[in-house]
Amino acid sequence: MLAYLRGANLSCAYLMLAYLSRANLSEAYLSRANLSGADLSEANLSGANLSDTDLSDANLSVADLRVADLSDANLSDADLSGIEVEKARFRNNLGITEELKKDLINRGAIFENSPGDRSRILTRI
């Protein structure tokens, strides 16, 4: 049986090495959770709040991350192959190379400016 955790509040949960392959975690609140080494392959994480989450060494292959918030998430050594990222938000992520960033942007991801970067703020004259 697949885990059905849609909309669950798992903030600060310790889920290191958890097996959540193909789980439905859409719209779940996982902010500040530890999911390092977790198997989230083919998981539905659309609309999930993954801000400040440790996803280092996690398997996210073919996961649905559309409209998810990954701000400040640690993605070091995570498997991001085949992920869906349309309108997913990234900011200040460990483990994202410039090459990967360009690829994710080409697939619809949104990379927000770093704090203090005012280069894209519109002003009125």
Side-chain angles (χ1 to χ4, degrees):
M1 185 167 158
L2 303 177
Y4 184 81
L5 298 165
R6 182 179 182 174
N9 184 350
L10 299 169
S11 176
C12 300
Y14 184 81
L15 297 166
M16 185 176 181
L17 302 174
Y19 181 78
L20 294 165
S21 180
R22 299 178 60 207
N24 184 346
L25 290 156
S26 60
E27 300 176 20
Y29 190 75
L30 293 152
S31 182
R32 297 181 310 278
N34 183 344
L35 286 157
S36 61
D39 185 351
L40 292 157
S41 58
E42 299 183 56
N44 181 354
L45 291 156
S46 61
N49 183 337
L50 295 158
S51 61
D52 203 28
T53 297
D54 185 356
L55 290 161
S56 60
D57 295 310
N59 180 358
L60 289 158
S61 62
V62 197
D64 183 350
L65 292 164
R66 292 176 293 168
V67 195
D69 182 359
L70 290 121
S71 301
D72 302 303
N74 181 353
L75 296 164
S76 299
D77 299 315
D79 182 349
L80 303 175
S81 58
I83 59 174
E84 295 182 54
V85 291
E86 186 177 344
K87 296 183 183 175
R89 294 181 314 280
F90 294 82
R91 182 186 72 229
N92 299 328
N93 301 99
L94 292 175
I96 300 287
T97 64
E98 281 301 313
E99 183 180 349
L100 179 56
K101 179 178 177 179
K102 288 177 186 176
D103 178 52
L104 294 173
I105 289 170
N106 285 337
R107 292 193 277 147
I110 300 165
F111 278 80
E112 298 173 358
N113 294 336
S114 300
D117 180 0
R118 301 178 61 82
S119 62
R120 300 192 73 200
I121 295 176
L122 300 175
T123 57
R124 287 190 146 158
I125 298 179

